[in-house]
Amino acid sequence: MEEQQRPVQPAGGGGGGGAPPEEQWRGAVEAALPGTPASAAWPHVASFYAAHRYLPGIDVCERVGDGGEDGGLLLVPGCVRHVASSAAGLWAREELLEAPDHAARRLRYAVVDSNMGFGRYVATLRVLDGGSGCRIAWAFECDAVRGEGWSEAALVARLAASVDGMAERVQQAVAAEAEARAGEEEEDGVAG
């Protein structure tokens, strides 16, 4: 007797009739930061409102809403940012799903609105120890993106380019901080 294969239901996909379940895409990309300690890279990756400093193509990243009593600086679940690429005419609103986990060096957010064809999209950014340096890992799961030019491979390629650019910019920022600290120490040594 031949065993029948049942289609796999995506997470949250219902079997109660109606529309067919959405196709789910999942994946992860990584970039190495040789010589950069994870502890030095993490504060940059965890800067939820500074995506424009680290992601190539993003030139706008701003807090959405009043931010509450703390002026919006405290990163708590529900914080929303607006990110955009003025050159490409693309934008998204992204919501922080949980407070950044500094011990695990993990940040999770979801796209809650965009003009790119995203339905459900959840991303997890992590900074991982990697021997003589660290790695930035960007994992995602989403409904299949509806729009011209989108495929799962195209999304993975776009995220790979983004994480590579992020790694390069974070390395530059960490190097600039180290150089500034060395300059301050040198000045303190001369003055003392």
Side-chain angles (χ1 to χ4, degrees):
M1 189 160 152
E2 203 171 316
E3 185 179 283
Q4 287 188 333
Q5 296 262 340
R6 291 184 358 193
V8 175
Q9 293 289 325
E22 282 288 319
E23 179 185 356
Q24 301 292 296
W25 296 348
R26 289 183 174 86
V29 293
E30 289 188 1
L33 290 79
T36 302
S39 60
W42 169 244
H44 300 282
V45 175
S47 298
F48 189 65
Y49 297 119
H52 60 296
R53 292 186 199 149
Y54 305 111
L55 285 173
I58 299 296
D59 58 344
V60 174
C61 181
E62 49 198 23
R63 180 177 42 85
V64 174
D66 65 10
E69 292 178 24
D70 68 344
L73 300 177
L74 185 64
L75 294 179
V76 296
C79 292
V80 176
R81 68 182 178 190
H82 170 81
V83 295
S85 169
S86 298
L90 300 174
W91 62 269
R93 287 187 185 241
E94 299 172 342
E95 179 180 348
L96 193 62
L97 296 176
E98 57 190 41
D101 184 335
H102 298 294
R105 296 188 187 103
R106 181 181 63 233
L107 177 78
R108 293 189 70 232
Y109 70 91
V111 172
V112 294
D113 194 15
S114 79
N115 69 346
M116 295 179 277
F118 284 104
R120 185 186 67 82
Y121 175 94
V122 175
T124 303
L125 288 170
R126 296 187 67 207
V127 176
L128 307 167
D129 286 315
S132 66
C134 66
R135 299 182 326 273
I136 298 174
W138 187 331
F140 73 93
E141 61 179 63
C142 65
D143 295 338
V145 181
R146 304 291 175 221
E148 193 170 320
W150 283 106
S151 66
E152 188 170 1
L155 177 59
V156 170
R158 179 174 273 186
L159 293 177
S162 292
V163 79
D164 286 345
M166 177 186 268
E168 183 178 329
R169 289 178 180 192
V170 167
Q171 276 190 295
Q172 290 169 352
V174 169
E177 289 170 347
E179 191 174 302
R181 272 193 310 277
E184 289 172 6
E185 290 172 3
E186 190 174 298
E187 284 181 20
D188 288 345
V190 171

